[in-house]
Amino acid sequence: MVNLGDYKGQTPTWCMGCGNFGILSAFKNAMVDLGIEPHQFTIVSGIGQAGKFPHYLKCNTFNGLHGRTLPVATGIRLANHEMLVIAVAGDGDCYGEGGNHLIHAIRRNINVKLFVHNNQIYGLTKGQASPTSMEGMRTKNQPFGVFSEQLNPIALAIALDCSFVARSFAGDMEHLKGIIKEAINHKGFSLVDILQPCVTFNKINTYEWYRKRVYHIEPEYNSSDKSEAFKKAAEWSDKIPIGIIYKNNRQILEERISAIKDTTLVRQVPELSKLQSTIKGFY
Ligand SMILES: Cc1ncc(C[n+]2csc(CCOP(=O)(O)OP(=O)(O)O)c2C)c(N)n1
Ligand code: SF4
């Protein structure tokens, strides 16, 4: 039986108290609860503090370019749709640099699980504003405060009819573990926006700031009601909801591709003679 030690990777180099530690711990506990072994999943990341996440785990990993997490995750999943594919990204990586990929991964409904470490700042490059930084926030690069409005990733995902949209908080590990499990068990593209305090560069959205505001979504809330989901997505002031905000059962991309209907692409051995005659046509 799988246990926490089975996932032990390199020693994290994150700052002491960083919200990423809570995410790492909740993730490992979720995998143990689900009985998923390290060889049964692949984690893909880009660049950033969140991008280091797979280094601190023992499993299949791919650490690629900044913002390009989802195209790689999509490719892995299409090559082997029996493999659980998890993508991790920072808010800059996923909502800024890779925003276009996010839109199309949601639209295609590839069965990939995306966990965004949303610290509302660029952590690795020492504190520039990200798309989720709050308007007016002062940084070394924005000494007069951020001029742009804050992106609302939850509302964006709902508008795109994302199959599973949830938010959790790195300071509430039990809640986060439960949401990670739900996201993995859901069939369809899953976006989990995780509020992750950056204790070094974001002095506004601290553990205390979040603890004063976050509340668990009521058990009677109907997560399949799109208009109610938009109302929850709009809450970002003295009350911030955490939990499953929206979900649906759209058909996944993998089921719409006839070439992988009967077996995965990696199991299909190409017939050499056919391959050679196809290639011959090009020279
Ligand atoms: C194409 C490209 N642009 C910019 C950079 C520089 N860069 C590296 S990490 C980073 C920001 C990371 O912020 P975020 O994605 O929010 O992750 P965090 O470090 O906060 O976890 C930037 C701009 C890069 N490596 N590649
Ligand atoms: S800079 Fe921020 S995000 Fe990066 S390790 Fe330190 S606390 Fe975490």
Side-chain angles (χ1 to χ4, degrees), residues 13-15 17-20 49 119 121 123-124 196-201:
T13 57
W14 293 317
C15 310
C18 173
N20 282 328
Q49 300 287 16
N119 54 19
I121 202 87
L124 191 78
Q196 176 243 313
C198 168
V199 293
T200 305
F201 295 113

Side-chain angles (χ1 to χ4, degrees), residues 276 279-283:
Q276 277 166 341
I279 292 168
K280 261 195 184 135
F282 293 93
Y283 61 84

Side-chain angles (χ1 to χ4, degrees), residues 47-50 66 90-93 97 119 121-125 130 196:
I47 302 297
Q49 300 287 16
H66 194 31
D91 42 298
D93 190 66
E97 202 90 28
N119 54 19
I121 202 87
Y122 281 0
L124 191 78
T125 45
S130 87
Q196 176 243 313

Side-chain angles (χ1 to χ4, degrees), residues 97-168:
E97 202 90 28
N100 187 33
H101 300 304
L102 175 67
I103 290 170
H104 296 290
I106 293 176
R107 179 176 66 84
R108 294 181 178 125
N109 200 22
I110 181 88
N111 195 358
V112 161
K113 315 290 142 199
L114 170 65
F115 301 123
V116 181
H117 301 212
N118 186 357
N119 54 19
Q120 301 173 254
I121 202 87
Y122 281 0
L124 191 78
T125 45
K126 299 187 165 45
Q128 302 84 2
S130 87
T132 51
S133 297
M134 287 164 66
E135 205 178 332
M137 179 189 201
R138 285 172 195 267
T139 73
K140 274 178 270 176
N141 266 38
Q142 288 85 11
F144 305 111
V146 173
F147 297 138
S148 314
E149 277 182 33
Q150 188 185 4
L151 178 86
N152 183 335
I154 302 284
L156 174 74
I158 299 166
L160 293 167
D161 222 14
C162 183
S163 193
F164 181 99
V165 187
R167 183 193 278 128
S168 191

